[in-house]
DNA sequence: CATGAATGAGGATTCATTCAT
DNA sequence: GATGAATGAATCCTCATTCAT
């Protein structure tokens, strides 16, 4: 998954332009979805002619791919943050409310859903998403392993596999949940999320 | 629940035709997504001319809406099944592996995701989905309430709110998870799902 | 090179429509060239919406290919006519004026040129054109061989090769010539064409 | 002959630049045709920015026109060469094989065809091409006249008209021929070309 | 002189929808 | 009821051309 698509004389300016487009795309994608957002819509939001966008991206699909790549990188950042914690297991439980709040943020979840839905049928996007997932799981697994060892808990492969995916599933479910129930009782939900996490992490 | 779309001479035949279309649509939507599936594709799958479909549905959006409505009803059926159990709380925990398996079935999750993503941007679909969710939560809440009372557990409103959404979130997350990690370790995941559910349901 | 592109319930009507499009295309191609003619232009000339044309042709390129195929078939017809003659060699010489006149017809040559120019860079068209040329040469060669044998002239392979291509070249040159000199002195030209042909055919 | 396109500080440098562009254009036009070659392609081949080309040419059409003009001048050079010969008629016949070889050269004929095809629909190009043709015919006619007089052959206007166009036609046909039959038997063809030329020139 | 970023009109193509039969 | 021919608006994308630097 390439980082720079075209050669430009001034790479900084080009990067700014690419960001402009991706930011505009984020807004449009959130509003209308990948397929609902037209290049015209995106170009207007980016303050740039539609034709010019093609100096920075090969196609609309390339914009979608770049956008997905960018979004998918945020998970790795999360992992790095978690790594810094003294006791990651406890931190996760303690930070549950914050993470819940973030996952319920209406600027985030429509895009997360859109990405997953797209990945479900677009193999190119699926690849991006799955590669990122592999990387994130590797990081997460290492964190869980060392933390659990310190707590004297099991760290066999199956255990880590299950814990890993169950934990992530719990959070990814939030993005879906809020679509179906926008009036979710956040504190109450966070409390139970904490209960579930604690049970899993320390079993 | 907007069922009466058109007037027909023979309502039974009309119903058969509508079902034909919806079944075809299900296949096409699963393969190509709501926007990727064309009316031509659907009409071919339905063994019916494209034009004729418009005798049963006002528009493609109407087909999507009807399809979503139909899909969303399956949750209610689940609730009714659960209601029949002697000890629903324990049944849920015990049945975790089966539910996990079902949610990881590749015939199901792409559509679940597609529906959620569509609901995130199409208000009409959002309404359908949210109405169904309200109804499902009412049913689920009643089941949880009576079961937990029998177990001497708290049944205050906040508790039920949180438990409800956390439980559903956990399962809805599976549909997303499998997209990102198609090689998920199912038994291991099911085990931890069970742990999380048990902790939540009996807290 | 396929003959029927799409399936239609009424093949006759479809054929009429295809012909409509090809006739319109002929006019537009003659006026503006393959690339200069837009689908909008063609559709207007065909009395049919641009979108509808795609029910009969896969793409604009397919229209070009079909058009070329159709044009290229006329040479075979010429060969069949020639075959009927009692003394093909003499007929060719005698009919020189008529053939010259036909090649100078302004409805014909722009398209012949356009086809050759397109074949020079479009491999798909080149194939069509070359296949037709092979077939035409096979027919022409047989005619020349038997006629020359009857006249007691050489019919070795090289002789036929050279005679063949030189004869065709002479006529194909006319299409080019008339572009460069639209005021060509037709009878005078025809006379010298006859001289050249006679010399070649009977050497 | 419209040479003075723009005013430049250093006319020599400008001429060099124009040549750069025309050479690049020749390569691109040969590869992709007039319409297939983009300004971006040409500018890259010319080692010059697309924008800068517009300091030397008013438009892409102006480049095409200049390119055609330049190409079309080569015929005059041929005439001058021919003029130098002791017996031009015999020289033509003798040099037939060389001329055939040159006309079959794949670096030449695609452009000749492209030019003729363009002239068939672009009046501006048609004018350039026809003007050049008039001049070439004047030169050729003078050569033929004096040579034929020396040989005691007819030199009336009609005779020269016919001979002229038939001779040129024969050669222009080669450019077309080779597109349709790339495996042309060159020596055999040259032999028959010689036969035809001899018959015409000395009749 | 020279660049290449930026524009915007125009092109091919798709597709939901209509309607005569 | 049922067809599929027909429409036309909308979409992505290309490219000649301009212009600030």
């Amino acid at each position: 998954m390439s980082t720079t698509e075209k050669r430009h004389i001034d790479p900084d300016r080009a990067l700014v332009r690419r960001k402009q487009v991706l930011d505009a795309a984020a807004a449009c994608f959130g509003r209308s979805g990948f397929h609902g957002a037209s290049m015209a819509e995106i170009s207007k939001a980016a303050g740039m002619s539609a034709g010019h966008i093609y100096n920075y991206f090969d196609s609309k699909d390339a914009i979608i791919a770049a956008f997905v790549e960018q979004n998918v990188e945020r998970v790795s950042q999360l992992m790095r943050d978690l790594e810094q914690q003294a006791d990651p297991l406890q931190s996760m439980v303690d930070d549950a409310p914050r993470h819940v709040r973030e996952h319920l943020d209406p600027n985030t979840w429509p895009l997360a859903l859109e990405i997953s839905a797209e990945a479900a049928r677009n193999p190119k996007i699926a690849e991006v998403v799955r590669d990122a997932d592999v990387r994130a799981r590797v990081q997460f697994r290492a964190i869980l392993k060392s933390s659990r060892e310190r707590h004297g808990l099991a760290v066999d492969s199956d255990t880590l596999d299950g814990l890993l995916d169950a934990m992530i599933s719990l959070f990814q479910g939030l993005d879906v949940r809020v679509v179906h129930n926008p009036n979710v009782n956040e504190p109450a939900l966070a409390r139970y999320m904490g209960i579930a996490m604690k049970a899993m992490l320390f079993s």
Side-chain angles (χ1 to χ4, degrees), chain A:
Chain A
M1 292 299 108
S2 61
T3 44
T4 43
E5 303 267 344
K6 302 257 166 105
R7 287 288 150 233
H8 290 273
I9 206 73
D10 181 348
D12 285 351
R13 188 175 183 78
L15 241 57
V16 170
R17 286 282 182 257
R18 279 181 66 92
K19 188 169 154 32
Q20 252 182 72
V21 173
L22 288 176
D23 289 350
C28 299
F29 289 161
R31 211 183 308 128
S32 326
F34 289 150
H35 293 87
S38 72
M39 286 301 292
E41 194 183 341
I42 295 173
S43 78
K44 194 178 300 181
M48 187 183 317
S49 77
H52 194 38
I53 292 184
Y54 286 84
N55 286 331
Y56 301 103
F57 294 91
D58 280 342
S59 63
K60 188 184 170 186
D61 275 358
I63 299 178
I64 296 176
F67 169 80
V68 169
E69 257 173 288
Q70 172 190 268
N71 263 269
V72 116
E73 279 317 308
R74 296 191 319 192
V75 180
S76 289
Q77 185 54 48
L78 236 69
M79 292 298 124
R80 279 192 291 277
D81 289 352
L82 194 57
E83 238 165 358
Q84 307 302 321
Q85 306 298 322
D87 183 348
L89 297 194
Q90 192 56 47
S91 293
M92 276 186 261
V93 177
D94 294 345
D95 288 349
R98 182 168 59 84
H99 287 126
V100 169
R101 189 164 53 251
E102 282 170 5
H103 270 270
L104 300 181
D105 171 10
N107 292 124
T108 317
W109 52 262
L111 289 169
L113 268 183
E114 189 72 21
I115 289 173
S116 298
E118 184 66 16
R121 54 187 131 78
N122 181 336
K124 204 78 171 281
I125 298 303
E127 198 195 332
V128 174
V129 152
R130 285 166 191 174
D131 283 356
D133 203 74
V134 167
R135 290 198 304 278
R137 285 205 313 276
V138 167
Q139 294 178 283
F140 197 16
R141 171 183 286 261
I143 295 169
L144 287 179
K145 184 152 189 271
S146 75
S147 304
R148 283 176 63 95
E149 272 169 349
R150 246 176 294 144
H151 282 273
L153 297 161
V155 292
D156 61 293
S157 184
D158 277 355
T159 291
L160 291 179
D161 280 350
L163 178 51
L164 223 46
D165 276 325
M167 283 287 297
I168 306 178
S169 199
L170 195 56
F171 279 99
Q172 286 184 321
L174 289 180
D175 300 326
V176 181
R177 192 81 285 274
V178 69
V179 176
H180 294 243
N181 178 14
N183 304 121
V184 68
N185 181 337
E186 190 186 305
L189 173 57
R191 197 180 138 239
Y192 267 96
M193 292 281 290
I195 291 171
M197 290 166 69
K198 190 171 167 191
M200 293 195 285
L201 289 169
F202 293 99
S203 294

